[in-house]
Amino acid sequence: MTGPVNPRREFTTAAVLCALGAGTAVVAGGRSWATVRATDTITPLSQHVTGRELTAVALALGWAGLAGLAALFATRGRVRAAVGGLLAIFGAGIAYASATAMGTANVLRAAGDKSPMLRLDGDALVRPSAWWIVSLAGGALLAAAGVMVLLRGARWPGMSARYETDGAAKARVGTPAGPSPAGGTSRAGTDDPSTLWKSLDRGEDPTITPANREDGAAREKEEH
């Protein structure tokens, strides 16, 4: 039997997938996705074409995914679910743009913009690298994270709730000074600066509690 679902574990998993997917797309966008080699030119000519040059969409959506990661921590409820829907769209867009950007015509056009000599060679060879696949995989991870947030994110607590336990709230508010079970003042009352000054004005030692006085009196009787 499977145990209860841990919302925090789900949130952590979605955040990690989002960071990996968007970050992978951003890194891959700056790498060479294909190499174009000219075969009919006087001198050998080759040109590397990056993902940014083939499609600016994948890289832009990768940065948008990183911004969406920050939004996951800042939102909750239905707003967070809406952010998940956007992340899913961003991821699908990255995957689609990465795949369609590798069309031969698109690669030759991008290479020709960098080296006009390549436009004169009708038999230029296109050799793709694996970076466009890495970008596509990043988009898939981001889309998976977005779907997870869309379906489950509204049930996850906000990040501030981690510190909103009853004990932490009581520690921040504090407890009022009052009589202790022994008939004296509580530790909270002793630590109050105003109480300390009032005791000193009366000529009393605020560090001595009724229990300490009783112990001192008992020791004096034993000595006498």
Side-chain angles (χ1 to χ4, degrees):
M1 296 179 62
T2 58
V5 178
N6 188 327
R8 294 224 170 264
R9 185 173 299 175
E10 284 187 335
F11 180 89
T12 301
T13 301
V16 170
L17 288 177
C18 180
L20 286 176
T24 297
V26 170
V27 172
R31 300 298 190 271
S32 175
W33 285 18
T35 301
V36 179
R37 298 182 181 276
T39 58
D40 293 340
T41 56
I42 299 176
T43 59
L45 180 63
S46 64
Q47 188 63 250
H48 298 286
V49 185
T50 65
R52 183 187 298 107
E53 294 164 344
L54 289 174
T55 172
V57 174
L59 183 61
L61 291 178
W63 285 112
L66 291 178
L69 174 62
L72 289 182
F73 291 89
T75 58
R76 61 189 303 172
R78 294 182 178 179
V79 177
R80 178 181 285 167
V83 172
L86 290 176
L87 291 176
I89 294 174
F90 295 161
I94 291 172
Y96 178 80
S98 300
T100 57
M102 292 305 296
T104 302
N106 187 53
V107 175
L108 291 176
R109 179 197 57 77
D113 292 340
K114 297 179 66 175
S115 299
M117 290 294 297
L118 289 173
R119 298 178 182 176
L120 303 177
D121 189 359
D123 297 326
L125 300 178
V126 177
R127 293 185 179 180
S129 69
W131 279 108
W132 74 273
I133 300 177
V134 174
S135 178
L136 190 151
L141 289 177
L142 182 59
V147 171
M148 188 174 181
V149 176
L150 177 63
L151 297 179
R152 306 283 299 179
R155 307 175 186 177
W156 300 337
M159 293 304 296
S160 59
R162 178 178 181 180
Y163 305 100
E164 292 299 329
T165 60
D166 293 338
K170 292 178 181 178
R172 286 197 305 273
V173 176
T175 55
S180 64
T185 58
S186 66
R187 182 63 181 170
T190 304
D191 291 340
D192 187 358
S194 61
T195 303
L196 294 177
W197 283 111
K198 291 178 181 179
S199 299
L200 292 174
D201 291 338
R202 292 194 300 267
E204 301 176 357
D205 187 349
T207 62
I208 298 178
T209 63
N212 292 336
R213 295 192 185 97
E214 293 177 1
D215 293 340
R219 284 196 298 268
E220 288 180 359
K221 290 181 180 180
E222 291 177 357
E223 292 176 357
H224 293 292

